[in-house]
Amino acid sequence: MLEVLVAIFVLTVGLLGTAGIQSQMQLAEVEAYQRAQAIVLLQDMVDRVNANRKKADGYVTAVGAPLGTADMDCSALVDVAEKDKCEWNNALFGASETKAGGAQQLGAMNGARGCITNPVAVMPREIVVAVAWQGLRPTVAPGATTCGQAAAVDDRTRRAMIARITIGCLQNDPATGLCVTP
């Protein structure tokens, strides 16, 4: 009888350990899914900026005003950069994925934010695209960007990805040979 009780105890401990591992795997799966979504959204904006390199400065967002905070109507916008930012904002906000019937927006990551900065204004110019979101478990706070920092409940749960776009000289001055901004 004692051997049966010990066997049941060992089996119970093993099953509880398996349940704990399963819950950790589900958290890791959600984190990986959010990371994959962030990569897609980041690459989307990098492609948009690369397609409109001459007007790259039009993509820069205001400091402290990240995209992804509210759904916007992009239908009346004519400027390519403004329309791209509006559509990217809606993708970050989750407007592209809705629950059946379209009543509730589900897409994007938790608390997704997007920032586009221009830290180098002289040639070669640099545009930095950042996507930040709220993770599930605390880790180390990202130091590469402050994007989404105000929206994060705990900065250690904030996740971020950045991409740098270097825009070389698009036009040289024939007289001096120096780069001029078109």
Side-chain angles (χ1 to χ4, degrees):
M1 184 70 148
L2 185 60
E3 291 175 355
V4 172
L5 287 175
V6 170
I8 290 174
F9 176 74
V10 169
L11 181 64
T12 303
V13 170
L15 290 175
L16 286 174
T18 303
I21 289 172
Q22 180 67 28
S23 70
Q24 293 298 318
M25 286 177 24
Q26 286 177 336
L27 283 175
E29 182 180 358
V30 170
E31 290 270 358
Y33 179 69
Q34 288 187 337
R35 195 173 304 111
Q37 284 183 314
I39 289 170
V40 169
L41 289 169
L42 183 70
Q43 190 60 48
D44 176 46
M45 184 47 76
V46 167
D47 291 343
R48 289 173 188 251
V49 172
N50 274 325
N52 194 11
R53 292 174 80 81
K54 282 190 175 186
K55 304 291 183 187
D57 291 334
Y59 288 91
V60 175
T61 58
V63 175
L67 298 174
T69 57
D71 191 16
M72 298 168 62
D73 180 19
C74 307
S75 61
L77 295 173
V78 177
D79 182 58
V80 174
E82 289 299 318
K83 188 167 183 114
D84 284 346
K85 285 194 316 187
C86 182
E87 290 172 352
W88 194 52
N89 170 76
N90 290 345
L92 286 164
F93 188 66
S96 60
E97 294 182 39
T98 57
K99 195 172 183 173
Q104 184 181 8
Q105 295 172 335
L106 302 171
M109 301 81 65
N110 295 336
R113 299 291 183 264
C115 305
I116 305 167
T117 57
N118 186 5
V120 180
V122 297
M123 291 298 173
R125 293 180 300 170
E126 183 178 68
I127 303 291
V128 177
V129 180
V131 174
W133 69 96
Q134 190 72 33
L136 300 175
R137 290 184 280 195
T139 60
V140 177
T145 182
T146 58
C147 185
Q149 200 167 30
V153 176
D154 178 1
D155 202 40
R156 295 178 306 137
T157 59
R158 182 173 60 100
R159 309 288 189 262
M161 290 187 167
I162 65 167
R164 298 182 186 280
I165 306 165
T166 302
I167 300 174
C169 186
L170 300 174
Q171 180 179 349
N172 285 331
D173 183 358
T176 63
L178 298 174
C179 186
V180 293
T181 304

